[in-house]
Amino acid sequence: MQLFLGQPVWMWTGFVTLVLALLALDLGVLNRGAHEIGVRQSLLTSAFYIAVGVTFGGFVWWQMGAQSAAEYLTGFVVEKSLAMDNVFVIAMIFGYFAIPRAYQHRVLFWGILGVIVLRAIMIGLGAALVQQYGWVLYVFAAFLVLTGVKMLVSGEGHGDLAENRWLAWLTRRARVTSTLHGERFFVRQADTRGRLRLYMTPLFLALIVIEIADLIFAVDSVPAIFAITTDPFLVYTSNIFAILGLRALYFALAAVLHRFAYLKPALAILLIFIGSKVFVADLLGMGKFPPAWSLGITALILGGGIALSLIKTRNVDGKLPHA
């Protein structure tokens, strides 16, 4: 049987085919043309993607065993939770560029395509490093612990785009239209000298910033999944299935982001746990932290953070409390 990165080629081919079919269904059938996506459709689509991701965990159990399935599901839950933090940043980016909801779906769809490619590259590099240099896994784990501690200490906030030097540099040097042109990423128009030039629109600029933001988030999420499992198939599939539902998750949560005021501390604690369990397993001579325990503790941390957020903000309308 021909293998690719430790697993049969047919499993990789089947996974890629499924992802392409989902993307084609999303853009080619369900969401053709610019339109505003309502909360109901967002919730149903998000539930569908979660169901697909969990069902794939059953396939992993069937083909690779219970331990691999537990590692996949833990990775899926962790990546899905970290993706929720992306929602805050995406909302800020769309607000800064004044992107109407009717055009946001197109930006997120192409953004997700870019993320799939970028994550494949980063995961491939990570897998090669871990396989070649085992100690890199401990570097990942220590990085997660330090990142979690930093998140707890620094509190809320993702920065102000208006003060972002890179964005200011890009807008000064690139040809960007002053207004949107429907859902188009590029338009041709005359410059100050009357010459016809190709200009990017604010819609494409928003797409670039979202891709960069995900690249920054991947610096946390990729080490997190490698601290759970080093199997490239489990790492990549759990990552991609979590990301596929990010567009639907955004439209479902964008209107109620203020209700998740305590999610960030929960994510910080989760990163500390994921990183520290690598060292704990070694100290206790366990070889590997039990996947079932990891999945249970992950669900407990995230469930606690979400429950506390909903309880503490039940009387808050659009304004974040001070944690």
PDB file of all heavy atoms in Angstrom, residues 286-314:
ATOM      1  N   MET A 286       4.831   8.800  31.365  1.00  0.00           N
ATOM      2  CA  MET A 286       3.626   8.312  30.697  1.00  0.00           C
ATOM      3  C   MET A 286       3.839   8.084  29.201  1.00  0.00           C
ATOM      4  O   MET A 286       2.990   7.494  28.538  1.00  0.00           O
ATOM      5  CB  MET A 286       2.477   9.315  30.908  1.00  0.00           C
ATOM      6  CG  MET A 286       2.139   9.571  32.357  1.00  0.00           C
ATOM      7  SD  MET A 286       1.008  10.980  32.577  1.00  0.00           S
ATOM      8  CE  MET A 286      -0.474  10.356  31.856  1.00  0.00           C
ATOM      9  N   GLY A 287       4.954   8.580  28.662  1.00  0.00           N
ATOM     10  CA  GLY A 287       5.172   8.485  27.228  1.00  0.00           C
ATOM     11  C   GLY A 287       4.354   9.528  26.491  1.00  0.00           C
ATOM     12  O   GLY A 287       4.893  10.389  25.813  1.00  0.00           O
ATOM     13  N   LYS A 288       3.021   9.456  26.628  1.00  0.00           N
ATOM     14  CA  LYS A 288       2.137  10.451  26.024  1.00  0.00           C
ATOM     15  C   LYS A 288       0.945  10.666  26.943  1.00  0.00           C
ATOM     16  O   LYS A 288       0.414   9.711  27.528  1.00  0.00           O
ATOM     17  CB  LYS A 288       1.671   9.985  24.645  1.00  0.00           C
ATOM     18  CG  LYS A 288       0.677  10.940  23.986  1.00  0.00           C
ATOM     19  CD  LYS A 288       0.254  10.463  22.608  1.00  0.00           C
ATOM     20  CE  LYS A 288       1.176  11.007  21.544  1.00  0.00           C
ATOM     21  NZ  LYS A 288       0.637  10.790  20.176  1.00  0.00           N
ATOM     22  N   PHE A 289       0.558  11.916  27.111  1.00  0.00           N
ATOM     23  CA  PHE A 289      -0.610  12.246  27.931  1.00  0.00           C
ATOM     24  C   PHE A 289      -1.829  11.554  27.334  1.00  0.00           C
ATOM     25  O   PHE A 289      -2.058  11.631  26.122  1.00  0.00           O
ATOM     26  CB  PHE A 289      -0.815  13.760  27.945  1.00  0.00           C
ATOM     27  CG  PHE A 289      -1.673  14.253  29.062  1.00  0.00           C
ATOM     28  CD1 PHE A 289      -1.128  14.524  30.311  1.00  0.00           C
ATOM     29  CD2 PHE A 289      -3.028  14.446  28.874  1.00  0.00           C
ATOM     30  CE1 PHE A 289      -1.916  14.988  31.346  1.00  0.00           C
ATOM     31  CE2 PHE A 289      -3.834  14.899  29.904  1.00  0.00           C
ATOM     32  CZ  PHE A 289      -3.274  15.177  31.155  1.00  0.00           C
ATOM     33  N   PRO A 290      -2.649  10.856  28.139  1.00  0.00           N
ATOM     34  CA  PRO A 290      -3.796  10.111  27.600  1.00  0.00           C
ATOM     35  C   PRO A 290      -4.715  11.001  26.766  1.00  0.00           C
ATOM     36  O   PRO A 290      -5.193  12.030  27.260  1.00  0.00           O
ATOM     37  CB  PRO A 290      -4.508   9.613  28.866  1.00  0.00           C
ATOM     38  CG  PRO A 290      -3.437   9.544  29.899  1.00  0.00           C
ATOM     39  CD  PRO A 290      -2.509  10.679  29.599  1.00  0.00           C
ATOM     40  N   PRO A 291      -4.970  10.647  25.503  1.00  0.00           N
ATOM     41  CA  PRO A 291      -5.813  11.470  24.627  1.00  0.00           C
ATOM     42  C   PRO A 291      -7.207  11.714  25.188  1.00  0.00           C
ATOM     43  O   PRO A 291      -7.758  12.809  25.021  1.00  0.00           O
ATOM     44  CB  PRO A 291      -5.869  10.648  23.335  1.00  0.00           C
ATOM     45  CG  PRO A 291      -4.627   9.823  23.345  1.00  0.00           C
ATOM     46  CD  PRO A 291      -4.403   9.483  24.795  1.00  0.00           C
ATOM     47  N   ALA A 292      -7.800  10.718  25.848  1.00  0.00           N
ATOM     48  CA  ALA A 292      -9.150  10.891  26.407  1.00  0.00           C
ATOM     49  C   ALA A 292      -9.136  11.954  27.508  1.00  0.00           C
ATOM     50  O   ALA A 292     -10.057  12.772  27.611  1.00  0.00           O
ATOM     51  CB  ALA A 292      -9.662   9.558  26.957  1.00  0.00           C
ATOM     52  N   TRP A 293      -8.100  11.955  28.356  1.00  0.00           N
ATOM     53  CA  TRP A 293      -7.973  12.983  29.386  1.00  0.00           C
ATOM     54  C   TRP A 293      -7.815  14.356  28.739  1.00  0.00           C
ATOM     55  O   TRP A 293      -8.414  15.340  29.180  1.00  0.00           O
ATOM     56  CB  TRP A 293      -6.763  12.698  30.276  1.00  0.00           C
ATOM     57  CG  TRP A 293      -6.894  11.509  31.166  1.00  0.00           C
ATOM     58  CD1 TRP A 293      -7.803  10.493  31.067  1.00  0.00           C
ATOM     59  CD2 TRP A 293      -6.061  11.191  32.276  1.00  0.00           C
ATOM     60  NE1 TRP A 293      -7.584   9.556  32.035  1.00  0.00           N
ATOM     61  CE2 TRP A 293      -6.525   9.963  32.800  1.00  0.00           C
ATOM     62  CE3 TRP A 293      -4.953  11.804  32.863  1.00  0.00           C
ATOM     63  CZ2 TRP A 293      -5.924   9.355  33.897  1.00  0.00           C
ATOM     64  CZ3 TRP A 293      -4.365  11.203  33.959  1.00  0.00           C
ATOM     65  CH2 TRP A 293      -4.840   9.996  34.470  1.00  0.00           C
ATOM     66  N   SER A 294      -6.982  14.415  27.728  1.00  0.00           N
ATOM     67  CA  SER A 294      -6.722  15.677  27.040  1.00  0.00           C
ATOM     68  C   SER A 294      -8.014  16.251  26.459  1.00  0.00           C
ATOM     69  O   SER A 294      -8.295  17.451  26.594  1.00  0.00           O
ATOM     70  CB  SER A 294      -5.697  15.463  25.931  1.00  0.00           C
ATOM     71  OG  SER A 294      -5.346  16.686  25.321  1.00  0.00           O
ATOM     72  N   LEU A 295      -8.807  15.396  25.814  1.00  0.00           N
ATOM     73  CA  LEU A 295     -10.069  15.831  25.227  1.00  0.00           C
ATOM     74  C   LEU A 295     -11.030  16.313  26.309  1.00  0.00           C
ATOM     75  O   LEU A 295     -11.685  17.359  26.164  1.00  0.00           O
ATOM     76  CB  LEU A 295     -10.693  14.692  24.427  1.00  0.00           C
ATOM     77  CG  LEU A 295     -12.037  14.964  23.753  1.00  0.00           C
ATOM     78  CD1 LEU A 295     -11.911  16.138  22.780  1.00  0.00           C
ATOM     79  CD2 LEU A 295     -12.545  13.721  23.029  1.00  0.00           C
ATOM     80  N   GLY A 296     -11.119  15.573  27.418  1.00  0.00           N
ATOM     81  CA  GLY A 296     -12.028  15.938  28.505  1.00  0.00           C
ATOM     82  C   GLY A 296     -11.642  17.259  29.167  1.00  0.00           C
ATOM     83  O   GLY A 296     -12.502  18.119  29.422  1.00  0.00           O
ATOM     84  N   ILE A 297     -10.349  17.442  29.449  1.00  0.00           N
ATOM     85  CA  ILE A 297      -9.886  18.683  30.097  1.00  0.00           C
ATOM     86  C   ILE A 297     -10.056  19.870  29.156  1.00  0.00           C
ATOM     87  O   ILE A 297     -10.447  20.963  29.582  1.00  0.00           O
ATOM     88  CB  ILE A 297      -8.416  18.537  30.538  1.00  0.00           C
ATOM     89  CG1 ILE A 297      -8.301  17.459  31.630  1.00  0.00           C
ATOM     90  CG2 ILE A 297      -7.861  19.861  31.045  1.00  0.00           C
ATOM     91  CD1 ILE A 297      -6.875  17.111  32.005  1.00  0.00           C
ATOM     92  N   THR A 298      -9.798  19.655  27.865  1.00  0.00           N
ATOM     93  CA  THR A 298      -9.997  20.716  26.872  1.00  0.00           C
ATOM     94  C   THR A 298     -11.445  21.173  26.850  1.00  0.00           C
ATOM     95  O   THR A 298     -11.742  22.382  26.880  1.00  0.00           O
ATOM     96  CB  THR A 298      -9.586  20.226  25.470  1.00  0.00           C
ATOM     97  OG1 THR A 298      -8.193  19.927  25.455  1.00  0.00           O
ATOM     98  CG2 THR A 298      -9.883  21.279  24.412  1.00  0.00           C
ATOM     99  N   ALA A 299     -12.373  20.206  26.809  1.00  0.00           N
ATOM    100  CA  ALA A 299     -13.803  20.536  26.803  1.00  0.00           C
ATOM    101  C   ALA A 299     -14.207  21.255  28.091  1.00  0.00           C
ATOM    102  O   ALA A 299     -15.016  22.192  28.070  1.00  0.00           O
ATOM    103  CB  ALA A 299     -14.629  19.260  26.624  1.00  0.00           C
ATOM    104  N   LEU A 300     -13.623  20.842  29.227  1.00  0.00           N
ATOM    105  CA  LEU A 300     -13.943  21.460  30.515  1.00  0.00           C
ATOM    106  C   LEU A 300     -13.483  22.916  30.552  1.00  0.00           C
ATOM    107  O   LEU A 300     -14.223  23.810  31.003  1.00  0.00           O
ATOM    108  CB  LEU A 300     -13.282  20.671  31.646  1.00  0.00           C
ATOM    109  CG  LEU A 300     -13.598  21.121  33.079  1.00  0.00           C
ATOM    110  CD1 LEU A 300     -15.091  20.944  33.362  1.00  0.00           C
ATOM    111  CD2 LEU A 300     -12.773  20.329  34.079  1.00  0.00           C
ATOM    112  N   ILE A 301     -12.269  23.179  30.082  1.00  0.00           N
ATOM    113  CA  ILE A 301     -11.728  24.547  30.086  1.00  0.00           C
ATOM    114  C   ILE A 301     -12.558  25.466  29.198  1.00  0.00           C
ATOM    115  O   ILE A 301     -12.969  26.562  29.603  1.00  0.00           O
ATOM    116  CB  ILE A 301     -10.254  24.547  29.626  1.00  0.00           C
ATOM    117  CG1 ILE A 301      -9.371  23.844  30.661  1.00  0.00           C
ATOM    118  CG2 ILE A 301      -9.764  25.980  29.404  1.00  0.00           C
ATOM    119  CD1 ILE A 301      -7.943  23.628  30.193  1.00  0.00           C
ATOM    120  N   LEU A 302     -12.829  25.010  27.975  1.00  0.00           N
ATOM    121  CA  LEU A 302     -13.581  25.845  27.039  1.00  0.00           C
ATOM    122  C   LEU A 302     -15.035  25.999  27.461  1.00  0.00           C
ATOM    123  O   LEU A 302     -15.604  27.096  27.383  1.00  0.00           O
ATOM    124  CB  LEU A 302     -13.501  25.245  25.636  1.00  0.00           C
ATOM    125  CG  LEU A 302     -12.118  25.253  25.008  1.00  0.00           C
ATOM    126  CD1 LEU A 302     -12.124  24.498  23.691  1.00  0.00           C
ATOM    127  CD2 LEU A 302     -11.641  26.680  24.788  1.00  0.00           C
ATOM    128  N   GLY A 303     -15.627  24.911  27.917  1.00  0.00           N
ATOM    129  CA  GLY A 303     -17.015  24.976  28.377  1.00  0.00           C
ATOM    130  C   GLY A 303     -17.158  25.925  29.556  1.00  0.00           C
ATOM    131  O   GLY A 303     -18.119  26.700  29.638  1.00  0.00           O
ATOM    132  N   GLY A 304     -16.178  25.884  30.470  1.00  0.00           N
ATOM    133  CA  GLY A 304     -16.201  26.786  31.619  1.00  0.00           C
ATOM    134  C   GLY A 304     -16.087  28.242  31.199  1.00  0.00           C
ATOM    135  O   GLY A 304     -16.793  29.110  31.718  1.00  0.00           O
ATOM    136  N   GLY A 305     -15.174  28.520  30.238  1.00  0.00           N
ATOM    137  CA  GLY A 305     -14.995  29.891  29.762  1.00  0.00           C
ATOM    138  C   GLY A 305     -16.233  30.433  29.078  1.00  0.00           C
ATOM    139  O   GLY A 305     -16.635  31.578  29.302  1.00  0.00           O
ATOM    140  N   ILE A 306     -16.860  29.609  28.240  1.00  0.00           N
ATOM    141  CA  ILE A 306     -18.067  30.043  27.531  1.00  0.00           C
ATOM    142  C   ILE A 306     -19.223  30.227  28.507  1.00  0.00           C
ATOM    143  O   ILE A 306     -19.963  31.230  28.433  1.00  0.00           O
ATOM    144  CB  ILE A 306     -18.428  29.022  26.434  1.00  0.00           C
ATOM    145  CG1 ILE A 306     -17.363  29.040  25.333  1.00  0.00           C
ATOM    146  CG2 ILE A 306     -19.802  29.329  25.841  1.00  0.00           C
ATOM    147  CD1 ILE A 306     -17.534  27.959  24.292  1.00  0.00           C
ATOM    148  N   ALA A 307     -19.391  29.271  29.441  1.00  0.00           N
ATOM    149  CA  ALA A 307     -20.478  29.376  30.423  1.00  0.00           C
ATOM    150  C   ALA A 307     -20.321  30.622  31.291  1.00  0.00           C
ATOM    151  O   ALA A 307     -21.287  31.357  31.537  1.00  0.00           O
ATOM    152  CB  ALA A 307     -20.514  28.123  31.296  1.00  0.00           C
ATOM    153  N   LEU A 308     -19.095  30.888  31.757  1.00  0.00           N
ATOM    154  CA  LEU A 308     -18.845  32.073  32.587  1.00  0.00           C
ATOM    155  C   LEU A 308     -19.139  33.349  31.797  1.00  0.00           C
ATOM    156  O   LEU A 308     -19.713  34.311  32.329  1.00  0.00           O
ATOM    157  CB  LEU A 308     -17.398  32.072  33.071  1.00  0.00           C
ATOM    158  CG  LEU A 308     -16.980  33.238  33.979  1.00  0.00           C
ATOM    159  CD1 LEU A 308     -17.810  33.236  35.254  1.00  0.00           C
ATOM    160  CD2 LEU A 308     -15.488  33.170  34.306  1.00  0.00           C
ATOM    161  N   SER A 309     -18.742  33.362  30.523  1.00  0.00           N
ATOM    162  CA  SER A 309     -19.003  34.530  29.675  1.00  0.00           C
ATOM    163  C   SER A 309     -20.498  34.802  29.553  1.00  0.00           C
ATOM    164  O   SER A 309     -20.957  35.940  29.709  1.00  0.00           O
ATOM    165  CB  SER A 309     -18.407  34.315  28.280  1.00  0.00           C
ATOM    166  OG  SER A 309     -17.004  34.256  28.323  1.00  0.00           O
ATOM    167  N   LEU A 310     -21.257  33.751  29.268  1.00  0.00           N
ATOM    168  CA  LEU A 310     -22.695  33.921  29.070  1.00  0.00           C
ATOM    169  C   LEU A 310     -23.400  34.339  30.358  1.00  0.00           C
ATOM    170  O   LEU A 310     -24.346  35.136  30.324  1.00  0.00           O
ATOM    171  CB  LEU A 310     -23.299  32.619  28.528  1.00  0.00           C
ATOM    172  CG  LEU A 310     -22.810  32.189  27.139  1.00  0.00           C
ATOM    173  CD1 LEU A 310     -23.429  30.864  26.742  1.00  0.00           C
ATOM    174  CD2 LEU A 310     -23.133  33.253  26.096  1.00  0.00           C
ATOM    175  N   ILE A 311     -22.923  33.826  31.494  1.00  0.00           N
ATOM    176  CA  ILE A 311     -23.533  34.186  32.780  1.00  0.00           C
ATOM    177  C   ILE A 311     -23.210  35.634  33.152  1.00  0.00           C
ATOM    178  O   ILE A 311     -24.087  36.414  33.526  1.00  0.00           O
ATOM    179  CB  ILE A 311     -23.049  33.226  33.895  1.00  0.00           C
ATOM    180  CG1 ILE A 311     -23.616  31.822  33.653  1.00  0.00           C
ATOM    181  CG2 ILE A 311     -23.484  33.742  35.271  1.00  0.00           C
ATOM    182  CD1 ILE A 311     -23.037  30.763  34.563  1.00  0.00           C
ATOM    183  N   LYS A 312     -21.924  35.993  33.030  1.00  0.00           N
ATOM    184  CA  LYS A 312     -21.482  37.328  33.449  1.00  0.00           C
ATOM    185  C   LYS A 312     -21.995  38.438  32.535  1.00  0.00           C
ATOM    186  O   LYS A 312     -22.094  39.590  32.957  1.00  0.00           O
ATOM    187  CB  LYS A 312     -19.953  37.367  33.505  1.00  0.00           C
ATOM    188  CG  LYS A 312     -19.338  36.521  34.618  1.00  0.00           C
ATOM    189  CD  LYS A 312     -19.608  37.133  35.977  1.00  0.00           C
ATOM    190  CE  LYS A 312     -18.862  36.375  37.072  1.00  0.00           C
ATOM    191  NZ  LYS A 312     -19.084  36.977  38.409  1.00  0.00           N
ATOM    192  N   THR A 313     -22.286  38.109  31.271  1.00  0.00           N
ATOM    193  CA  THR A 313     -22.698  39.147  30.320  1.00  0.00           C
ATOM    194  C   THR A 313     -24.180  39.045  29.954  1.00  0.00           C
ATOM    195  O   THR A 313     -24.609  39.634  28.966  1.00  0.00           O
ATOM    196  CB  THR A 313     -21.853  39.058  29.031  1.00  0.00           C
ATOM    197  OG1 THR A 313     -22.082  37.786  28.402  1.00  0.00           O
ATOM    198  CG2 THR A 313     -20.367  39.215  29.326  1.00  0.00           C
ATOM    199  N   ARG A 314     -24.953  38.339  30.748  1.00  0.00           N
ATOM    200  CA  ARG A 314     -26.360  38.144  30.383  1.00  0.00           C
ATOM    201  C   ARG A 314     -27.158  39.457  30.377  1.00  0.00           C
ATOM    202  O   ARG A 314     -28.163  39.576  29.685  1.00  0.00           O
ATOM    203  CB  ARG A 314     -27.021  37.133  31.317  1.00  0.00           C
ATOM    204  CG  ARG A 314     -27.058  37.524  32.786  1.00  0.00           C
ATOM    205  CD  ARG A 314     -27.663  36.386  33.616  1.00  0.00           C
ATOM    206  NE  ARG A 314     -27.732  36.710  35.030  1.00  0.00           N
ATOM    207  CZ  ARG A 314     -26.719  36.559  35.882  1.00  0.00           C
ATOM    208  NH1 ARG A 314     -25.551  36.072  35.421  1.00  0.00           N
ATOM    209  NH2 ARG A 314     -26.838  36.871  37.149  1.00  0.00           N
TER     210      ARG A 314
END
